[in-house]
Amino acid sequence: MVDNGSLDLVEKTISENQSSFLHYLPKRVQIAADSRTCLLNNLIQLISIRGLHTTTPAHQLIMADKPVLHYFYGRGRAEAIRWLLAAAGVEFEEKFYRTKEEYNKLLESGDLMFGQIPMLEIDGLKIAQTKAILNYIAGKYNLYGSDLKERAYIDMYVDGATDLMTMILSYFFLSDCDKENQKKMMKEKALKRYFPVYNKALEGKEFLVGNKLSCADVYLLDTILSLEEFHPDILQKFPNLQAFKKRTCEIPNIKKFFEPGSKKKPMADDTYVNTVKDLVFIK
């Protein structure tokens, strides 16, 4: 038997993911969001078809299908992944590594192709390397353009923003003297090389590529907001980017990512920096 709390979760999950469940259920089965009994029967049939035992708690069955992101507790290279999953409306779990014992255990498991995180568990895969993870999410959730030409432009825009984001991510690991130079370089590169390109690309357009949201839009927004934490007026001369930021922040899934309790992480602090140095950097 399934308790009422689990049933509520089952109903919510099936209702929000009907297409995924229909992939596994017989064609004759119809999911009716307004019928709790039907929803439970659908789940039971799904369990039977996939060879699972009905004694498995319903909440465990549902949680097992959620992607799991492995990283340190902080933004770093994983924040772009969190942004993209959030934009796609995907609920996910996180596994944080805070001690050498935890991290070494992961390294010894053989789950990391190149011995680095982030790593995302999704669809039975354990995907390493940030770009590979982002491309998989974008492709899976229709955030990667409509054809090869659009994907080429998306990749170019993402790689440009990545150049800026790399400077931001490395900032926190520099000496105080080098940090000042890095801040100046971030601003100079954004104003002279990158933002003029994005501002022009958005002339008379809602999105960077095509007529729908893509991972390029999500990554650009993340980059803009990160730069504004160092230089609040950095968009002053770029009206198209200002408008882009405003409307993109209002997209429901993205707006939700700003709410308390989301997976969005704060700017790197000493705890995060010291954890990464202790676990990753060669001394």
Side-chain angles (χ1 to χ4, degrees):
M1 296 297 292
V2 181
D3 59 52
N4 289 333
S6 295
L7 184 55
D8 289 338
L9 185 56
V10 169
E11 180 177 1
K12 179 177 184 293
T13 303
I14 296 181
S15 297
E16 293 177 353
N17 300 276
Q18 292 187 23
S19 60
S20 297
F21 279 90
L22 284 171
H23 176 74
Y24 295 104
L25 293 170
K27 290 183 179 180
R28 68 178 181 276
V29 175
Q30 298 297 318
I31 292 181
D34 59 346
S35 171
R36 295 168 69 86
T37 302
C38 181
L39 290 171
L40 181 55
N41 288 338
N42 287 338
L43 179 63
I44 291 172
Q45 290 186 57
L46 173 60
I47 291 169
S48 175
I49 291 166
R50 299 188 72 174
L52 301 172
H53 298 291
T54 55
T55 54
T56 303
H59 70 278
Q60 289 184 15
L61 289 172
I62 293 167
M63 293 292 284
D65 288 334
K66 286 186 178 181
V68 180
L69 178 60
H70 296 252
Y71 200 62
F72 313 110
Y73 186 85
R75 290 182 185 175
R77 296 188 180 279
E79 192 71 356
I81 300 167
R82 298 183 186 106
W83 267 94
L84 200 55
L85 287 168
V90 179
E91 292 187 8
F92 62 98
E93 300 298 318
E94 295 188 89
K95 167 63 178 175
F96 301 115
Y97 296 87
R98 295 182 169 91
T99 68
K100 286 185 177 180
E101 182 181 7
E102 292 173 341
Y103 192 55
N104 287 339
K105 186 176 179 180
L106 177 64
L107 291 175
E108 292 166 3
S109 71
D111 289 339
L112 304 178
M113 183 175 287
F114 298 108
Q116 302 174 108
I117 51 178
M119 183 263 284
L120 183 70
E121 294 185 71
I122 185 171
D123 296 339
L125 300 172
K126 294 181 179 179
I127 309 176
Q129 302 302 111
T130 306
K131 189 170 184 179
I133 295 170
L134 292 172
N135 286 348
Y136 188 89
I137 296 168
K140 179 179 175 67
Y141 297 106
N142 198 26
L143 293 167
Y144 206 5
S146 301
D147 53 39
L148 284 175
K149 288 184 178 180
E150 287 194 355
R151 289 188 178 191
Y153 276 98
I154 287 170
D155 287 342
M156 286 190 283
Y157 289 135
V158 168
D159 285 354
T162 300
D163 292 345
L164 286 171
M165 189 60 79
T166 299
M167 289 190 282
I168 295 171
L169 295 179
S170 63
Y171 168 88
F172 300 99
F173 298 90
L174 301 175
S175 65
D176 290 341
C177 179
D178 289 336
K179 281 182 177 178
E180 285 304 310
N181 292 331
Q182 189 82 335
K183 280 180 66 174
K184 293 177 182 177
M185 188 180 299
M186 288 179 205
K187 187 173 184 178
E188 181 179 347
K189 295 287 187 181
L191 295 179
K192 295 183 178 180
R193 177 177 295 180
Y194 296 100
F195 280 4
V197 173
Y198 293 116
N199 195 68
K200 182 178 179 181
L202 288 164
E203 185 69 43
K205 294 173 57 182
E206 186 174 352
F207 305 107
L208 283 170
V209 179
N211 57 3
K212 63 183 179 181
L213 184 75
S214 75
C215 58
D217 301 300
V218 178
Y219 202 81
L220 176 58
L221 179 62
D222 181 20
T223 303
I224 288 171
L225 296 174
S226 297
L227 278 168
E228 285 184 327
E229 290 177 326
F230 295 93
H231 305 287
D233 63 345
I234 199 158
L235 293 185
Q236 187 175 6
K237 297 181 179 180
F238 303 101
N240 294 335
L241 285 177
Q242 292 176 37
F244 166 83
K245 172 192 163 185
K246 182 177 180 179
R247 65 174 173 266
T248 308
C249 284
E250 289 299 316
I251 293 173
N253 284 339
I254 292 177
K255 189 174 183 178
K256 186 177 179 181
F257 193 53
F258 292 104
E259 296 175 356
S262 80
K263 298 288 200 300
K264 191 176 187 299
K265 299 297 182 285
M267 181 184 281
D269 57 13
D270 289 342
T271 299
Y272 169 78
V273 171
N274 290 333
T275 297
V276 175
K277 285 182 176 180
D278 188 42
L279 300 187
V280 179
F281 287 10
I282 298 174
K283 297 180 179 180

